[in-house]
Structures are given as C-alpha cells and as structure tokens.
Amino acid sequence: MRINTHFDGIVTSAKTGEIFLRRLSWSKVWKLPKTGDGVKVTAIVWRPDSVVLAVGYSSGDVTLVDVESGVIAHTFNPCGEPVTALSWENSIASLNEEAENFLLPDELLPQPSKVNSSKLDAGPMLEGEKGLKNEELLSLLWIGLKNGLVYGYAFGLFPCCLLKLSELSGMNETIGAVRSICPNGDHSQLCILADLRAGRSEVLLMTVDTPLITYCLKELYGLGVLYRQITGLMDCLISAQKALQEAWEDALVDLESKMVRYDNNDGQSSLSVDLMELLMFGHAGIKLEKFLVTDLTDKGLKRIGQAVELSYSNMQKLLIKHIVCANYQLSYYLTQLCGLAKQEDRFSCLGLQVNLCLSACRAAGSFTAKTAELQQVIDGSIKYLKTFFRWLYVTILRLSDEPIPPELATSTQQDVRFIANFLAKDFETDGQVRLDRIGQYLRNEPLTSIASSKTRPWDMLAEACPTITNFPDSDLFQPRAERSLAQEFTHLEQQVKASFEAIPSAVGQTASLPFMTNLTLDCPSDGLDNIKITSRSINQPKDRCNLIGLTNSATPSSGFYLFEFASEKERKNLTRAAFFSFRRCNHLPPGEYKLSDMQFYNDEIMSILLLTEQNTNSIFLQLSLALLREQLAPVMSRRGPFNSSFQSDLFASSFRVFNDFQATALGLSSSRKVAAIFSAAKRKVRIFDMEVEEEEDVEDEDQDIEDVSDLSQEISKDGGNEKDVSDVDMAVSP
C-alpha cells in the first residue's frame, strides 16, 4: 500500500489496483476502481495545488483524477511501457500575465455545452469542471518508464519533453526502469535515479540539464494553455459525435430492407416505377397495394415517420449546440497556434512547424464545411421524407378505405412535382433504395451517395464568389466531396496531433548529462522494487539543490545514502554524498535498527521509520538535514562507480518509540503538518499532528474507525500531544 498525504486528505492504493481518498479522520471520500485485472498502481503524485491527483499504472496508463469529485479528468498512455516514477512540480515563476501578451482573449467565444448522450439538453461546459483548471504557474508532470524514458507533460496534459536516458548517457548498455525524478525550481535540471542494467543490483544517479525548458518557459506555458483548450474541445467533439451516432434512428434502414424485398420478389417490377405510376395515374397494382397495406401499414409508416423526424431534430440540435460551437472555438485556437508558429525566433526551437499548424487549421475548416453540408442534407431529408411519407400515408388510407384527416386530404401541385423529382432522382442509387442519407456521414468510410455541388455550402460560396479561389489558402474550407463527417474528423485528429508531435523530441534533444555515477546496492536484482527512495527540491534564495535519499538494500535496511545535487550557478553540477548507518546514531537506545521507510518532511527535516532488532517495536525518527548535509563529501567521479566505503554519524533531533507496533510505511505533509504511519502486521494507521504548541497536553487515545470494508483492515487512529521528547507529537522546528 502506498500512502500520500497532502492537506486534509490521505491517498492509499491497494494491491488490487483500487485508489482511496480519505480524510484525516479516515472517513472515505471516494474510491477509484481498478482499471483491469492484474494492473497495479505503481506511482501516485499530487499536483502542486492539490486539485488533481496523477496515478501511474503498470499498464502504462497515467490517470488524472479530480480530487474533489473523484472523477477521472484525463487518461493517457505515453508509449505503452509501465510507469515507474512520477513527479509533479511548479516552476518558481508566475507566467500567466506574460502568456496573455501573445495569446488572444477568449471571453467572447461561444461556450459549447457538455454532451450527455442520454440527455441532449445539457448545461454549459465550464472550463476546468473536471479539475483541469488554469494555473498561474507552469507545472510539469514528469513520468519515468520501465524502458528508461522520461516524459515531461506541462499541466499534466501537454507532452513537451522526451528524454532518452540510454542515448544521453552514451553507454553501450541500456538503462532500465526510472526509479525517481527530482526537478529543480525552474526545471533546468533533473536528478534521476534509474536501474543501470537488467540482472544486476546497480542503479545510476545522474543529473540531466534541460536548458531549453528554462529558456522557453513563457512559450511552453502558452503552448500548454492552447494544447489544453484544443484537446478539451477535441474531447467535446468526440462526445458529441458519439451522441450524434446514438441519436441517428435506424428505422429507415428497416424500411429500406422492406422495399428491397419488394424489388426482389419477381425481378420484373421496380418500386420506384410502380410508385411513379401511382403518383401520376392514381392507380396501384395488386402487388404494390398489398405491399403498402400489408407490409408497411398506416400505423407502421406513421411510427417510422415520427421516429425519423424526432431523430433528425435531435441531430440538428447536436450539430448546432455542440459540434458547430466547439469547432468554431477549435478553429480559433488553431489560428492562434499558427500565429505562434510563425514567430520562428521563439517557437521553431521547440519543434513547432508552421506547415503542420496550417494543415490542422485547414482540417478544422474542412470539418466545418462538412458539418454545414450535413446540416443541409438533414434539412433536405426532413423535407422530402415528410412530404413522401405524408403522400404514402394518405395513399394507404385510401386503399384501406379509411377516413382521411382533413388536413391531409389536399396536396399542392408543388408537392406532386417534389415527390416525382424525388422518385426519379433520389429514391434509388445504383439500383438500391436509399431513403437514409444521414447514416453514411457518421461512418468512417467514403460516402455512397455524394451530395450535389449545388447543395454543398462551400461550393455554393465558391460559385457565388469566384475571386475566393485567388486567396493563398484557397483550400482552407474545401472538404473532399467523397469524405464523410467521421472521416473529416479523423483527419482533423491526425493533423492536430501532428502539430504538437515534434515538440517533445525537439526539447529532449537539447538536454545534456553533466553528472553520472553508478551505485551497487546490497540486494538481488529482483529486490530493487523494494528500495525506499525519497527526493526533495530545495529552492531557497541562497540554497538551491536537489536531495535524493535511498536505502542501501531492500527494506528493512541498515542505512541510507543521501545525495545532494547543487543547482545554483556558483555550485552548478557539484554533487556531494554520504552513507548513514543506524549503528552510529546518537541519542537512540543501544540496539540493532533497520530502516523501513523514509521521507523528507520539509527543507530542514528528514523523517525515518525504524524497526528494532526483534521487529516488534518501531521508532519514528526526525533528523536535521542541516546536520546531515554538513557530513556530505564531494563525489569526484562524474562517470564511474560511487565509493561508499565511508560512513557518517546520525544525530536525532527527536524520536518516539512505538511499542508493539511494526510500522512499514510513512506519509507526510508539511503544509498540513501531519504524519500517517501504517502498520502492515497490525493493519492499523496512526495519524499525528507534527507541529503543536508545547503547552498542549492531550492524552493518547486509540479510536476504532468504521467503514473499513474497502481495505479489509482494522483501522485505528492514534492522537496525542505531550511534551516528552519520546512523543512523536513533539513540536518540530520549521
């Protein structure tokens, strides 16, 4: 089980793949079900503002979850490899106002409605309703994979960097799973811990410089904002098209099949010819009369007509309220993207290409034109089907000697000409009855019945304004006549994806690897998954560095390594390290101790969980980072094994002994000032207030927590504040 704490929530993951969010009182907020059989949760990280939770899976999926509602906001899979590490950090500079200088305002854009396939009338889709709200700071979600790749996603959505560690290292051997990623404040440097090679218990510590990210923070922020808007609108269009497919009524398909059987009965007569004779001379043959009265029937035809009219009306609403509105916004943002791409001095180094962005704009224009064409086809279909069904309905009533409603008794000469024209030109296509012209637009295949150029909106505009062909981008709104709406959208998806596709590699190719060292751990190669690793980025004005701590063996272990990677200009690329053993820890009672978990509490404190020799008692230990860092020694070798023969002393700032409590996992939140300690053996969790006033004196208490069926565990909460140094609730200096 993994435990992450942030603010007033605790996130835990079970071995079966479920995710739980609980309050500090251990009351359940929501549960996220498993994604599939055998799929495990491999990493969890909070977005810096704690609004979104990122979860990595062994399947390679990364899921962004809205913390407030527990709704999955977004899911993506970088390349299909299992996720092994996640890190989500803000840049230290606010870029929101600066990005507005080169992004156009969108306050006047019409907002598309949220599509609910079961209810076509839905409310407006508010920006960020799933938790992916605008951020003033550029946050980067770093994803480490099992194959040694590291991806960077701006805002957790926009893929903006790809690091191939094996190529960067220049080594002949392949780098394996990425275990830890720690970026500094401006994302100019990453400290990475990864497996060196398969089959050996060696890890590789390295620093990767990413200067282009720092140099282009404003540009990446702007691209990230546009990418978030564009992908959100693409998702809206996907949902709208699914609803469009559901709204399409296939009743006409059944009617067409009946009419085809009529033609195939004797092979000598044609339904269109017989219906034309009936229209012109008012006489129906025996075969046609039997077909109309027995097979179609007045009630059946009335039911089909009502269903088709309702279906087409709903489709028109979806097109106007959702698809047209969303595509209008999409064209607006793609136009902005083209404008940015034309600023080659700022964006070409990021891999943004003008020709690809223009192709995406043209694809959006083609989709717009095809949407307008579908609206025209629906309008025409409603008109001719309504008139045709009305005439057939009256004819069936006459043949059945049924009374005809007065409002249907008369028909105009214009109606007769319209029906005759329909039977002569549009009733059949290649010898097949074709009443439905709409369904073909919803299938991802070429149209079987292409609309006349006289009814296609773009062709009508081009004919009315011949000078439009002289424009440089004359094909901006020129869809292919034979393409369906689904095909145009597929083309649009491909072009939008291609616009951003080159950015991660372009940014990653500028990265360099100034420091690298090997570290051999005291465990078998299959025990690397049980190594405890923790990292922290310190961004103080006079102290900027990244810290990585890791145990020397699979837990419980006898000690840990601490590495410091300096990132300020004066100490750039200076690395210091030391190994700390609990055999040389002052202030602890004599005995053998093993480390079970470790985490950085804040910039000044490291928290450690220890087990006693008999594994019956536990110790929660607070260590001063200032004292630890004083004992770090420079690592001289930049591309060689790390010499860990020296050991340093430990000085405990405070500690508490837990009798009869085998602690195995630790979760900390310095902003909330809480610690959660979990015992696998006792199946209990204890939650402590880390910083309290010394005057407070509250007795310890154990309280049973209800509603634990989800985890099948007995949960107890332990609270208490005393002034004794052995008490965990001893106030810790910030």
Side-chain angles (χ1 to χ4, degrees):
M1 172 176 287
R2 286 173 173 78
I3 300 180
N4 281 4
T5 60
H6 203 88
F7 293 88
D8 64 344
I10 299 179
V11 176
T12 60
S13 64
K15 292 182 179 180
T16 51
E18 293 95 348
I19 302 290
F20 302 88
L21 176 65
R22 297 179 180 273
R23 299 290 183 191
L24 294 180
S25 61
W26 207 251
S27 59
K28 187 176 72 173
V29 180
W30 48 256
K31 170 186 174 182
L32 196 67
K34 62 181 181 180
T35 59
D37 294 336
V39 178
K40 297 181 179 180
V41 177
T42 54
I44 300 175
V45 68
W46 294 84
R47 197 170 80 174
D49 60 4
S50 72
V51 174
V52 178
L53 190 72
V55 183
Y57 292 94
S58 58
S59 61
D61 288 335
V62 177
T63 298
L64 305 183
V65 186
D66 177 34
V67 173
E68 184 177 350
S69 63
V71 175
I72 295 178
H74 187 60
T75 299
F76 59 94
N77 193 314
C79 68
E81 286 288 323
V83 176
T84 54
L86 291 176
S87 177
W88 205 338
E89 296 292 340
N90 277 333
S91 65
I92 56 179
S94 177
L95 302 168
N96 191 21
E97 294 182 0
E98 297 185 24
E100 291 178 356
N101 295 332
F102 57 87
L103 292 180
L104 299 176
D106 54 4
E107 289 83 0
L108 301 180
L109 286 176
Q111 296 296 318
S113 300
K114 181 179 66 174
V115 179
N116 186 342
S117 59
S118 60
K119 297 180 180 179
L120 297 178
D121 295 328
M125 183 173 59
L126 300 178
E127 182 184 0
E129 66 175 350
K130 291 184 177 181
L132 301 181
K133 301 177 181 178
N134 282 329
E135 303 170 69
E136 293 186 1
L137 300 176
L138 174 64
S139 69
L140 284 176
L141 172 63
W142 293 99
I143 304 171
L145 303 179
K146 191 175 182 179
N147 61 352
L149 297 182
V150 176
Y151 283 86
Y153 281 74
F155 306 119
L157 295 172
F158 167 45
C160 62
C161 184
L162 169 60
L163 302 175
K164 300 178 180 180
L165 299 184
S166 296
E167 294 181 7
L168 284 173
S169 65
M171 301 174 63
N172 295 327
E173 297 174 272
T174 303
I175 293 178
V178 177
R179 301 287 177 178
S180 176
I181 307 170
C182 183
N184 63 357
D186 59 0
H187 295 277
S188 63
Q189 187 180 83
L190 302 177
C191 298
I192 297 175
L193 177 69
D195 294 353
L196 181 57
R197 57 177 68 90
R200 297 182 61 179
S201 55
E202 282 188 272
V203 294
L204 189 67
L205 287 105
M206 64 188 79
T207 58
V208 179
D209 287 344
T210 53
L212 189 58
I213 293 180
T214 307
Y215 181 75
C216 297
L217 275 180
K218 300 174 188 177
E219 288 75 12
L220 287 174
Y221 183 92
L223 287 174
V225 171
L226 285 180
Y227 184 87
R228 179 169 50 194
Q229 299 285 6
I230 290 170
T231 53
L233 291 168
M234 294 296 289
D235 290 341
C236 179
L237 287 173
I238 291 173
S239 300
Q241 288 192 94
K242 289 181 180 178
L244 198 67
Q245 183 72 41
E246 293 176 8
W248 175 65
E249 178 61 57
D250 60 356
L252 284 179
V253 177
D254 297 334
L255 181 58
E256 287 176 357
S257 63
K258 291 180 180 180
M259 292 181 172
V260 168
R261 288 196 296 270
Y262 176 91
D263 287 339
N264 294 337
N265 278 343
D266 54 16
Q268 297 178 354
S269 60
S270 169
L271 180 60
S272 60
V273 174
D274 291 349
L275 288 174
M276 184 68 78
E277 291 180 355
L278 175 62
L279 177 67
M280 295 293 103
F281 306 111
H283 174 72
I286 298 176
K287 178 182 177 182
L288 180 60
E289 181 177 349
K290 180 182 177 182
F291 172 74
L292 294 176
V293 176
T294 306
D295 294 344
L296 288 186
T297 73
D298 55 340
K299 292 182 180 180
L301 189 62
K302 186 176 182 180
R303 177 185 59 79
I304 292 174
Q306 290 174 344
V308 170
E309 186 175 1
L310 178 62
S311 169
Y312 286 2
S313 176
N314 288 335
M315 293 178 73
Q316 283 181 317
K317 290 179 182 178
L318 283 168
L319 284 170
I320 296 172
K321 290 184 177 181
H322 303 282
I323 294 180
V324 171
C325 186
N327 193 53
Y328 179 80
Q329 280 202 55
L330 180 64
S331 299
Y332 174 83
Y333 290 120
L334 288 175
T335 302
Q336 287 193 60
L337 187 65
C338 289
L340 298 185
K342 290 180 180 180
Q343 301 179 43
E344 296 185 357
D345 57 325
R346 301 181 63 180
F347 291 92
S348 62
C349 61
L350 295 174
L352 195 64
Q353 301 178 31
V354 178
N355 60 331
L356 295 178
C357 296
L358 286 174
S359 296
C361 262
R362 296 188 186 103
S366 298
F367 183 73
T368 299
K370 187 60 70 172
T371 302
E373 179 184 325
L374 179 57
Q375 287 180 277
Q376 291 285 89
V377 173
I378 292 177
D379 288 339
S381 296
I382 291 176
K383 184 178 179 181
Y384 74 69
L385 286 177
K386 193 172 183 179
T387 306
F388 180 61
F389 283 169
R390 176 183 174 181
W391 172 69
L392 279 183
Y393 180 70
V394 171
T395 301
I396 293 174
L397 291 179
R398 284 199 180 110
L399 294 175
S400 304
D401 295 328
E402 297 287 339
I404 300 174
E407 63 274 12
L408 302 178
T410 60
S411 60
T412 64
Q413 191 66 28
Q414 183 179 1
D415 292 338
V416 174
R417 285 199 301 269
F418 185 79
I419 296 171
N421 186 64
F422 167 69
L423 291 173
K425 297 181 179 180
D426 299 325
F427 184 74
E428 291 183 345
T429 302
D430 297 330
Q432 296 291 326
V433 176
R434 289 285 184 266
L435 294 180
D436 175 53
R437 309 281 179 176
I438 312 302
Q440 60 177 346
Y441 283 86
L442 308 180
R443 293 186 286 269
N444 194 17
E445 57 188 43
L447 298 176
T448 55
S449 177
I450 300 175
S452 170
S453 60
K454 295 181 179 180
T455 60
R456 292 199 297 267
W458 176 255
D459 294 281
M460 294 168 63
L461 177 62
E463 184 179 353
C465 305
T467 56
I468 200 173
T469 57
N470 298 327
F471 293 166
D473 294 328
S474 59
D475 57 341
L476 186 60
F477 293 91
Q478 190 174 359
R480 295 177 181 268
E482 69 279 3
R483 278 185 179 173
S484 65
L485 184 72
Q487 284 183 307
E488 289 289 4
F489 183 73
T490 300
H491 178 63
L492 174 60
E493 281 186 306
Q494 293 171 349
Q495 294 302 317
V496 169
K497 181 180 178 181
S499 299
F500 296 96
E501 201 166 28
I503 294 177
S505 296
V507 175
Q509 287 173 0
T510 64
S512 60
L513 199 151
F515 174 85
M516 180 172 61
T517 186
N518 318 1
L519 183 62
T520 302
L521 301 178
D522 185 19
C523 67
S525 59
D526 56 359
L528 290 177
D529 290 336
N530 297 320
I531 297 292
K532 294 294 183 180
I533 305 170
T534 182
S535 63
R536 186 170 185 88
S537 177
I538 298 178
N539 295 294
Q540 301 298 330
K542 295 183 179 180
D543 185 13
R544 294 185 58 209
C545 67
N546 291 339
L547 299 175
I548 291 182
L550 69 153
T551 57
N552 66 325
S553 65
T555 53
S557 63
S558 60
F560 67 94
Y561 295 95
L562 181 63
F563 285 82
E564 176 193 86
F565 303 91
S567 56
E568 65 257 21
K569 293 181 180 179
E570 294 76 10
R571 300 191 300 141
K572 188 73 171 178
N573 299 327
L574 174 62
T575 302
R576 301 191 302 159
F579 177 74
F580 297 91
S581 172
F582 293 103
R583 297 173 184 173
R584 305 178 61 177
C585 184
N586 297 329
H587 309 304
L588 282 180
E592 284 286 332
Y593 299 100
K594 296 289 186 180
L595 185 152
S596 59
D597 201 0
M598 59 190 296
Q599 281 193 32
F600 291 103
Y601 175 62
N602 54 27
D603 289 351
E604 300 180 4
I605 297 294
M606 173 181 269
S607 299
I608 304 281
L609 277 183
L610 298 179
L611 292 176
T612 58
E613 187 175 2
Q614 294 78 19
N615 290 340
T616 56
N617 300 331
S618 300
I619 297 177
F620 180 76
L621 186 65
Q622 299 279 77
L623 301 177
S624 168
L625 278 177
L627 295 177
L628 292 176
R629 292 173 65 185
E630 284 181 1
Q631 302 181 68
L632 301 181
V635 179
M636 304 304 296
S637 175
R638 297 213 169 185
R639 289 182 180 267
F642 170 64
N643 182 7
S644 60
S645 58
F646 59 92
Q647 297 185 8
S648 301
D649 294 331
L650 285 170
F651 298 91
S653 300
S654 65
F655 65 91
R656 178 180 177 178
V657 178
F658 298 96
N659 294 319
D660 195 25
F661 188 83
Q662 185 179 351
T664 54
L666 173 66
L668 298 172
S669 174
S670 59
S671 56
R672 190 64 182 174
K673 301 178 182 180
V674 295
I677 301 176
F678 174 73
S679 171
K682 295 293 183 180
R683 295 184 177 179
K684 294 182 180 180
V685 65
R686 292 183 175 181
I687 301 172
F688 299 96
D689 188 353
M690 294 285 288
E691 301 180 19
V692 296
E693 297 295 333
E694 292 188 1
E695 302 82 58
E696 284 190 52
D697 189 1
V698 182
E699 296 182 357
D700 288 348
E701 60 177 357
D702 284 336
Q703 177 183 345
D704 291 334
I705 304 294
E706 297 179 356
D707 187 20
V708 295
S709 58
D710 297 329
L711 299 177
S712 302
Q713 297 175 18
E714 176 193 353
I715 304 296
S716 71
K717 169 187 163 186
D718 184 60
N721 302 319
E722 296 182 2
K723 292 181 281 187
D724 189 353
V725 256
S726 64
D727 197 318
V728 73
D729 300 306
M730 175 74 176
V732 180
S733 300

